[in-house]
Amino acid sequence: MSFIEIQNLLKRFGKVVAVNHIWLEIEKGEIITLLGPSGCGKTTTLRCIAGLERPDEGDVVIDGKPMFSKGFVPPSKRGIGMVFQNYAVWPHMRVFDNVAYGLKIARLPKKEIRKRVAETLKLVGLEGLENRYPTQLSGGQQQRVALARALTRNPKVLLLDEPLSNLDAKLREKMRFEIQGLVKRMGITAVYVTHDQAEAMVISDRVAVMNQGRIVQVGSPEEIYHRPATKFVADFIGVTNFISGVVAELNGDQAEAVLETDFGRVRCSVLDPESVVPGRSATAFVRPEDVEVVEGAGVRENTFSGTVLHRVYLGNILYLFIKLGDTSLRVQARATMPYREGDEIRVYLDPCRTLIVRE
């Protein structure tokens, strides 16, 4: 049995179905991210795990104990710690009192409270700041206070609802690694909610991609990125190019197909053979880093000529936006490449990385 089981969970708000009969199993010590656009149901799912929302159907089982079907288990009895998007630290309390709040409610001895708070503040890098007020802290330090408060009661499960969204880009990147490392060291089972795919890729053991109240794919960051189940997942995770056309050929085992496009015949791999039918339209995707700029006079299959529309220099890499027929491709190239807008260019689409994906 998995440590957390989400079983056929359904949650409505009036006529709006926020979570639509989802199933998900989370193993002990795993960090799983619920990833998706605003309104996809990820935060509502998290709040059901926490007990802050009651589902209309289904159940959440934590460590073998149902949270709803055999009587409602309140949040304080679920063994969870939660970090909110806005931190929810009390501005009138010093750091020590913010972190100690849950322990005081639980009526732990003062000596034990002091010990636990000191240990947790050291763990999150806030030792020495016990007597400061939140207004005297940076955004990253306030985020650590909220994290320390969630951890100080030694929760079975840590729930994080977009905890980095209020931080600037550099601090957000740093805190991704800090949270991932801290949770792994403590061996806590964690459910993390974000709409930021980079956060999900860094933090997660597995990612559950959600759309319109449903889970559309669950897998490791590598699986989600390289073998997305649908066009939505391919588009939402990372930067990608889509190529539309008609299936002209399909080989015997349906692992490869030829797509007739506006700029030529493109040989592709097929992720879902049942979705590809000769004579019907289909969409392939290829990541910018998987499009190769061809230099020299050699000719090989899946090489096409186009025109550079835009050039974007980002220091370590160069993005070229290329026009092939009526199709535009973004290509990640070496920063030293000399191409300018209007230049003719040839690109190679690797058939193993140009993948027809289900709509």
Side-chain angles (χ1 to χ4, degrees):
M1 178 181 288
S2 299
F3 192 69
I4 302 174
E5 296 183 21
I6 298 173
Q7 302 175 343
N8 198 32
L9 201 69
L10 172 70
K11 177 62 182 178
R12 299 187 185 92
F13 294 103
K15 295 182 179 180
V16 176
V17 179
V19 179
N20 195 351
H21 295 288
I22 67 169
W23 297 78
L24 183 64
E25 295 185 353
I26 304 168
E27 300 303 322
K28 187 175 180 63
E30 182 178 31
I31 303 176
I32 192 163
T33 294
L34 305 180
L35 175 69
S38 297
C40 71
K42 55 189 185 295
T43 292
T44 301
T45 301
L46 193 79
R47 290 174 63 84
C48 288
I49 297 173
L52 302 176
E53 299 285 356
R54 298 195 188 199
D56 296 293
E57 295 179 26
D59 204 355
V60 174
V61 179
I62 299 177
D63 197 14
K65 184 176 181 180
M67 298 291 107
F68 298 103
S69 61
K70 295 185 178 179
F72 176 70
V73 179
S76 60
K77 302 296 184 182
R78 296 191 178 202
I80 62 169
M82 190 158 183
V83 181
F84 295 92
Q85 182 175 353
N86 62 356
Y87 314 145
V89 294
W90 289 284
H92 64 288
M93 291 185 183
R94 299 180 191 272
V95 168
F96 179 93
D97 297 312
N98 264 283
V99 176
Y101 184 79
L103 302 178
K104 292 178 178 178
I105 294 295
R107 298 184 182 278
L108 266 66
K110 290 184 178 179
K111 184 178 180 181
E112 177 67 14
I113 290 175
R114 286 195 299 270
K115 178 175 177 289
R116 284 209 200 176
V117 171
E119 290 173 347
T120 309
L121 289 177
K122 183 177 181 180
L123 191 67
V124 300
L126 289 178
E127 55 185 330
L129 302 182
E130 296 89 343
N131 293 319
R132 291 194 185 182
Y133 288 97
T135 54
Q136 297 172 309
L137 303 176
S138 67
Q141 289 170 330
Q142 290 185 48
Q143 193 272 343
R144 287 187 177 94
V145 172
L147 185 59
R149 186 176 57 197
L151 293 173
T152 194
R153 294 186 67 181
N154 299 320
K156 294 179 182 178
V157 179
L158 181 63
L159 306 177
L160 303 107
D161 186 10
E162 303 207 39
L164 307 182
S165 60
N166 292 327
L167 304 180
D168 64 70
K170 276 207 144 184
L171 185 55
R172 191 162 62 242
E173 183 178 8
K174 178 184 178 184
M175 291 303 300
R176 291 170 190 161
F177 294 103
E178 290 192 9
I179 289 176
Q180 195 269 353
L182 178 61
V183 173
K184 280 299 179 184
R185 286 198 305 274
M186 296 185 71
I188 298 174
T189 305
V191 184
Y192 193 102
V193 162
T194 186
H195 63 272
D196 186 325
Q197 56 92 16
E199 269 180 40
M201 301 289 274
V202 169
I203 285 172
S204 314
D205 295 310
R206 288 189 301 149
V207 178
V209 183
M210 297 188 68
N211 188 33
Q212 298 179 340
R214 298 181 183 274
I215 293 176
V216 293
Q217 186 174 2
V218 181
S220 68
E222 292 83 1
E223 291 168 341
I224 295 289
Y225 187 81
H226 291 295
R227 301 187 67 82
T230 66
K231 182 180 178 180
F232 169 80
V233 178
D235 191 28
F236 193 79
I237 303 294
V239 178
T240 195
N241 298 297
F242 289 108
I243 301 170
S244 299
V246 175
V247 179
E249 297 177 18
L250 193 61
N251 71 7
D253 60 4
Q254 297 185 315
E256 285 190 353
V258 174
L259 199 62
E260 190 73 56
T261 75
D262 58 80
F263 59 88
R265 292 164 66 89
V266 181
R267 186 167 295 279
C268 311
S269 295
V270 177
L271 287 177
D272 181 8
E274 293 182 359
S275 68
V276 180
V277 179
R280 293 189 181 176
S281 61
T283 301
F285 82 95
V286 61
R287 302 289 185 187
E289 64 270 24
D290 293 328
V291 181
E292 179 185 334
V293 176
V294 177
E295 299 178 285
V299 177
R300 54 179 164 169
E301 187 183 34
N302 266 28
T303 298
F304 305 94
S305 296
T307 304
V308 177
L309 295 178
H310 303 290
R311 180 183 187 275
V312 179
Y313 176 73
L314 295 176
N316 60 327
I317 61 172
L318 178 69
Y319 273 129
L320 299 174
F321 293 82
I322 298 172
K323 186 79 165 178
L324 300 177
D326 293 326
T327 301
S328 294
L329 293 185
R330 182 191 295 202
V331 179
Q332 182 176 308
R334 297 194 315 273
T336 56
M337 281 191 167
Y339 294 100
R340 294 289 186 270
E341 294 177 7
D343 286 352
E344 294 299 311
I345 191 170
R346 290 193 305 151
V347 294
Y348 169 68
L349 304 179
D350 184 345
C352 295
R353 296 184 178 274
T354 306
L355 307 172
I356 293 179
V357 66
R358 180 162 51 89
E359 294 287 338

